[in-house]
Amino acid sequence: MRIFMHLLKNSNPKIEYYSRFSPSPLSIKQFLEFGRDNACEKTSYMFLRKELPVRLANTMREVNLLPDKLLSQPSVRLVQKWYMQSFVELLDYENRKPEDPHVLNDFLELLIEIRNRHNDVVPTMAQGVIEYKEKFGFDPFISSNIQYFLDRFYTNRISFRMLINQHTLIFGNDTNPAHPKHIGSIDPTCNVAEVVSDAYDTAKMLCEKYYLAAPELKIEEFNMKHPKRPIQVVYVPSHLFHMLFELFKNSMRATVELHENGNEGLPPVKAKVTLGKEDLSVKISDRGGGVPLRKIDRLFNYMYSTAPTPSLEPGAVPLAGFGYGLPISRLYARYFQGDLKLYSMEGVGTDAVIYLKALSSESFERLPVFNKSAWRHYKTSPEADDWSNPSKEPRDASKSKYKANR
């Protein structure tokens, strides 16, 4: 802890300096064109040695606006320590010239080390929120601030890893021989139906492991641009897989739990992939009984998870039990200007729709910026609701003192 406080004290001026800069959002098209046509390690180095500290500093300044009681939790302090260490290590390259033969290789190895250090940021921060909730309970205003922060914090992390992965995959020895046409983590001709099938197969294995059964999958494609041709898009397959795997996992669990004792077997989960002029959409539909409208928003709330605290041991299913699958998946969709929405009919089932930009030139990173607007969000006091709220119990009009005379 003394080392952390020493680092914090010495680095605060630098954090403040870099946080004055706004992150520079890139589009998928820019990522692709640089990696395919103009891949220059020196150029990438010069960009990242400033952009990575800027993105780290923006989120580190925002962390400090969280309630002190949350910041004091051991897991949150550990995450802060990781971020501080990575920031300090990146500062070592602030003035190092790329012409030095050792600089580029050292920088690449550092990025891999930083990426590995941050592997468990999501579950560790989730553990910190659980620690806070167990000690201090649930406060609606603080919950709103934590929701706002975690959406921005995890989006920043997605972007941070995207930059690191592009550099290490293009200029390192991380290239996946199974995907030789990928430009870093981007597939220029990502076959969406294939990713849907891969995510389904992985979720099916998990479902069969726990329930000894799993619903079948039916896929349809509607290609408005090129009818009868498979739908392809320039995208990051790992991001799409992450979203689809989460949706299939939820649909399968709901379907099996509702129909496992029925006589008609398990109704299939349906996937519909469509490509229009602006949007590429993937809809996952199930007949798992649906979710009440009242609970839909809670499914995206980090503070509402009621599952038992999961194990952080290696090999555990990612995010299992934290209730973070859906909100993190929505952040992946929104990261490149898309979205993820749920439409549910209680008693029937749920439709989950992933919206992505059809054009890579419109798929710009959506990045959080630390500024006065963000600061005010944490400092503004909660105001009284200006809409009526129903009481928990129905009102008994017969007991009203204003009861009409008969």
Side-chain angles (χ1 to χ4, degrees), residues 221-235:
E221 286 189 85
F222 297 88
N223 191 335
M224 192 188 86
K225 285 187 174 180
H226 305 286
K228 298 182 180 180
R229 283 174 56 180
I231 292 175
Q232 295 183 332
V233 67
V234 183
Y235 204 68

PDB file of all heavy atoms in Angstrom, residues 221-235:
ATOM      1  N   GLU A 221     -31.494 -15.514 -42.440  1.00  0.00           N
ATOM      2  CA  GLU A 221     -30.750 -14.334 -42.875  1.00  0.00           C
ATOM      3  C   GLU A 221     -31.570 -13.541 -43.887  1.00  0.00           C
ATOM      4  O   GLU A 221     -32.206 -14.118 -44.773  1.00  0.00           O
ATOM      5  CB  GLU A 221     -29.417 -14.736 -43.523  1.00  0.00           C
ATOM      6  CG  GLU A 221     -28.348 -15.202 -42.556  1.00  0.00           C
ATOM      7  CD  GLU A 221     -27.001 -15.363 -43.243  1.00  0.00           C
ATOM      8  OE1 GLU A 221     -26.264 -14.371 -43.372  1.00  0.00           O
ATOM      9  OE2 GLU A 221     -26.691 -16.498 -43.657  1.00  0.00           O
ATOM     10  N   PHE A 222     -31.555 -12.215 -43.754  1.00  0.00           N
ATOM     11  CA  PHE A 222     -32.226 -11.323 -44.694  1.00  0.00           C
ATOM     12  C   PHE A 222     -31.238 -10.244 -45.110  1.00  0.00           C
ATOM     13  O   PHE A 222     -30.974  -9.308 -44.355  1.00  0.00           O
ATOM     14  CB  PHE A 222     -33.470 -10.697 -44.052  1.00  0.00           C
ATOM     15  CG  PHE A 222     -34.536 -11.693 -43.678  1.00  0.00           C
ATOM     16  CD1 PHE A 222     -34.515 -12.306 -42.433  1.00  0.00           C
ATOM     17  CD2 PHE A 222     -35.532 -12.039 -44.578  1.00  0.00           C
ATOM     18  CE1 PHE A 222     -35.484 -13.231 -42.082  1.00  0.00           C
ATOM     19  CE2 PHE A 222     -36.515 -12.959 -44.241  1.00  0.00           C
ATOM     20  CZ  PHE A 222     -36.491 -13.561 -42.993  1.00  0.00           C
ATOM     21  N   ASN A 223     -30.688 -10.396 -46.299  1.00  0.00           N
ATOM     22  CA  ASN A 223     -29.667  -9.477 -46.799  1.00  0.00           C
ATOM     23  C   ASN A 223     -30.307  -8.524 -47.812  1.00  0.00           C
ATOM     24  O   ASN A 223     -30.530  -8.881 -48.973  1.00  0.00           O
ATOM     25  CB  ASN A 223     -28.525 -10.259 -47.449  1.00  0.00           C
ATOM     26  CG  ASN A 223     -27.320  -9.393 -47.742  1.00  0.00           C
ATOM     27  OD1 ASN A 223     -27.435  -8.179 -47.903  1.00  0.00           O
ATOM     28  ND2 ASN A 223     -26.148 -10.010 -47.821  1.00  0.00           N
ATOM     29  N   MET A 224     -30.620  -7.303 -47.364  1.00  0.00           N
ATOM     30  CA  MET A 224     -31.266  -6.333 -48.236  1.00  0.00           C
ATOM     31  C   MET A 224     -30.309  -5.822 -49.307  1.00  0.00           C
ATOM     32  O   MET A 224     -30.708  -5.506 -50.429  1.00  0.00           O
ATOM     33  CB  MET A 224     -31.792  -5.159 -47.408  1.00  0.00           C
ATOM     34  CG  MET A 224     -32.729  -4.235 -48.169  1.00  0.00           C
ATOM     35  SD  MET A 224     -33.157  -2.748 -47.246  1.00  0.00           S
ATOM     36  CE  MET A 224     -31.797  -1.671 -47.680  1.00  0.00           C
ATOM     37  N   LYS A 225     -29.026  -5.746 -48.989  1.00  0.00           N
ATOM     38  CA  LYS A 225     -28.042  -5.224 -49.944  1.00  0.00           C
ATOM     39  C   LYS A 225     -27.756  -6.213 -51.059  1.00  0.00           C
ATOM     40  O   LYS A 225     -27.696  -5.852 -52.232  1.00  0.00           O
ATOM     41  CB  LYS A 225     -26.737  -4.880 -49.208  1.00  0.00           C
ATOM     42  CG  LYS A 225     -26.803  -3.601 -48.385  1.00  0.00           C
ATOM     43  CD  LYS A 225     -25.412  -3.266 -47.852  1.00  0.00           C
ATOM     44  CE  LYS A 225     -25.397  -1.919 -47.158  1.00  0.00           C
ATOM     45  NZ  LYS A 225     -24.050  -1.582 -46.644  1.00  0.00           N
ATOM     46  N   HIS A 226     -27.542  -7.473 -50.661  1.00  0.00           N
ATOM     47  CA  HIS A 226     -27.210  -8.507 -51.645  1.00  0.00           C
ATOM     48  C   HIS A 226     -28.033  -9.755 -51.334  1.00  0.00           C
ATOM     49  O   HIS A 226     -27.540 -10.679 -50.668  1.00  0.00           O
ATOM     50  CB  HIS A 226     -25.711  -8.838 -51.622  1.00  0.00           C
ATOM     51  CG  HIS A 226     -24.817  -7.651 -51.801  1.00  0.00           C
ATOM     52  ND1 HIS A 226     -24.652  -7.030 -53.018  1.00  0.00           N
ATOM     53  CD2 HIS A 226     -24.052  -6.962 -50.912  1.00  0.00           C
ATOM     54  CE1 HIS A 226     -23.819  -6.014 -52.879  1.00  0.00           C
ATOM     55  NE2 HIS A 226     -23.440  -5.951 -51.620  1.00  0.00           N
ATOM     56  N   PRO A 227     -29.291  -9.779 -51.784  1.00  0.00           N
ATOM     57  CA  PRO A 227     -30.165 -10.922 -51.481  1.00  0.00           C
ATOM     58  C   PRO A 227     -29.528 -12.257 -51.866  1.00  0.00           C
ATOM     59  O   PRO A 227     -28.803 -12.366 -52.862  1.00  0.00           O
ATOM     60  CB  PRO A 227     -31.401 -10.630 -52.331  1.00  0.00           C
ATOM     61  CG  PRO A 227     -31.396  -9.146 -52.520  1.00  0.00           C
ATOM     62  CD  PRO A 227     -29.947  -8.764 -52.598  1.00  0.00           C
ATOM     63  N   LYS A 228     -29.793 -13.236 -51.021  1.00  0.00           N
ATOM     64  CA  LYS A 228     -29.331 -14.621 -51.211  1.00  0.00           C
ATOM     65  C   LYS A 228     -27.834 -14.798 -50.967  1.00  0.00           C
ATOM     66  O   LYS A 228     -27.302 -15.898 -51.125  1.00  0.00           O
ATOM     67  CB  LYS A 228     -29.699 -15.143 -52.604  1.00  0.00           C
ATOM     68  CG  LYS A 228     -31.197 -15.187 -52.851  1.00  0.00           C
ATOM     69  CD  LYS A 228     -31.505 -15.765 -54.223  1.00  0.00           C
ATOM     70  CE  LYS A 228     -33.019 -15.797 -54.455  1.00  0.00           C
ATOM     71  NZ  LYS A 228     -33.360 -16.349 -55.781  1.00  0.00           N
ATOM     72  N   ARG A 229     -27.143 -13.720 -50.575  1.00  0.00           N
ATOM     73  CA  ARG A 229     -25.722 -13.866 -50.229  1.00  0.00           C
ATOM     74  C   ARG A 229     -25.554 -13.821 -48.718  1.00  0.00           C
ATOM     75  O   ARG A 229     -26.312 -13.120 -48.027  1.00  0.00           O
ATOM     76  CB  ARG A 229     -24.902 -12.752 -50.881  1.00  0.00           C
ATOM     77  CG  ARG A 229     -24.661 -13.000 -52.368  1.00  0.00           C
ATOM     78  CD  ARG A 229     -23.973 -11.828 -53.036  1.00  0.00           C
ATOM     79  NE  ARG A 229     -22.715 -11.467 -52.405  1.00  0.00           N
ATOM     80  CZ  ARG A 229     -21.942 -10.467 -52.822  1.00  0.00           C
ATOM     81  NH1 ARG A 229     -22.312  -9.733 -53.870  1.00  0.00           N
ATOM     82  NH2 ARG A 229     -20.818 -10.186 -52.206  1.00  0.00           N
ATOM     83  N   PRO A 230     -24.583 -14.553 -48.162  1.00  0.00           N
ATOM     84  CA  PRO A 230     -24.349 -14.521 -46.704  1.00  0.00           C
ATOM     85  C   PRO A 230     -24.031 -13.098 -46.248  1.00  0.00           C
ATOM     86  O   PRO A 230     -23.392 -12.334 -46.974  1.00  0.00           O
ATOM     87  CB  PRO A 230     -23.146 -15.447 -46.496  1.00  0.00           C
ATOM     88  CG  PRO A 230     -23.095 -16.297 -47.713  1.00  0.00           C
ATOM     89  CD  PRO A 230     -23.643 -15.462 -48.832  1.00  0.00           C
ATOM     90  N   ILE A 231     -24.486 -12.754 -45.053  1.00  0.00           N
ATOM     91  CA  ILE A 231     -24.253 -11.410 -44.523  1.00  0.00           C
ATOM     92  C   ILE A 231     -22.855 -11.332 -43.915  1.00  0.00           C
ATOM     93  O   ILE A 231     -22.504 -12.109 -43.032  1.00  0.00           O
ATOM     94  CB  ILE A 231     -25.320 -11.050 -43.478  1.00  0.00           C
ATOM     95  CG1 ILE A 231     -26.684 -10.908 -44.160  1.00  0.00           C
ATOM     96  CG2 ILE A 231     -24.958  -9.757 -42.745  1.00  0.00           C
ATOM     97  CD1 ILE A 231     -27.831 -10.667 -43.218  1.00  0.00           C
ATOM     98  N   GLN A 232     -22.071 -10.385 -44.430  1.00  0.00           N
ATOM     99  CA  GLN A 232     -20.723 -10.152 -43.916  1.00  0.00           C
ATOM    100  C   GLN A 232     -20.589  -8.698 -43.497  1.00  0.00           C
ATOM    101  O   GLN A 232     -21.244  -7.822 -44.052  1.00  0.00           O
ATOM    102  CB  GLN A 232     -19.673 -10.501 -44.972  1.00  0.00           C
ATOM    103  CG  GLN A 232     -19.644 -11.982 -45.352  1.00  0.00           C
ATOM    104  CD  GLN A 232     -18.551 -12.296 -46.352  1.00  0.00           C
ATOM    105  OE1 GLN A 232     -18.150 -11.441 -47.155  1.00  0.00           O
ATOM    106  NE2 GLN A 232     -18.056 -13.521 -46.313  1.00  0.00           N
ATOM    107  N   VAL A 233     -19.731  -8.462 -42.530  1.00  0.00           N
ATOM    108  CA  VAL A 233     -19.534  -7.111 -42.021  1.00  0.00           C
ATOM    109  C   VAL A 233     -18.092  -6.972 -41.553  1.00  0.00           C
ATOM    110  O   VAL A 233     -17.445  -7.970 -41.205  1.00  0.00           O
ATOM    111  CB  VAL A 233     -20.511  -6.830 -40.846  1.00  0.00           C
ATOM    112  CG1 VAL A 233     -20.177  -7.699 -39.638  1.00  0.00           C
ATOM    113  CG2 VAL A 233     -20.525  -5.359 -40.460  1.00  0.00           C
ATOM    114  N   VAL A 234     -17.571  -5.742 -41.587  1.00  0.00           N
ATOM    115  CA  VAL A 234     -16.250  -5.473 -41.023  1.00  0.00           C
ATOM    116  C   VAL A 234     -16.444  -5.252 -39.528  1.00  0.00           C
ATOM    117  O   VAL A 234     -17.048  -4.254 -39.121  1.00  0.00           O
ATOM    118  CB  VAL A 234     -15.605  -4.221 -41.672  1.00  0.00           C
ATOM    119  CG1 VAL A 234     -14.200  -4.015 -41.123  1.00  0.00           C
ATOM    120  CG2 VAL A 234     -15.592  -4.343 -43.188  1.00  0.00           C
ATOM    121  N   TYR A 235     -15.962  -6.181 -38.727  1.00  0.00           N
ATOM    122  CA  TYR A 235     -16.231  -6.074 -37.287  1.00  0.00           C
ATOM    123  C   TYR A 235     -15.205  -6.877 -36.496  1.00  0.00           C
ATOM    124  O   TYR A 235     -14.346  -7.570 -37.062  1.00  0.00           O
ATOM    125  CB  TYR A 235     -17.654  -6.566 -36.974  1.00  0.00           C
ATOM    126  CG  TYR A 235     -18.220  -5.983 -35.685  1.00  0.00           C
ATOM    127  CD1 TYR A 235     -18.520  -4.624 -35.600  1.00  0.00           C
ATOM    128  CD2 TYR A 235     -18.416  -6.775 -34.561  1.00  0.00           C
ATOM    129  CE1 TYR A 235     -19.021  -4.072 -34.432  1.00  0.00           C
ATOM    130  CE2 TYR A 235     -18.919  -6.239 -33.383  1.00  0.00           C
ATOM    131  CZ  TYR A 235     -19.210  -4.888 -33.324  1.00  0.00           C
ATOM    132  OH  TYR A 235     -19.694  -4.337 -32.160  1.00  0.00           O
TER     133      TYR A 235
END
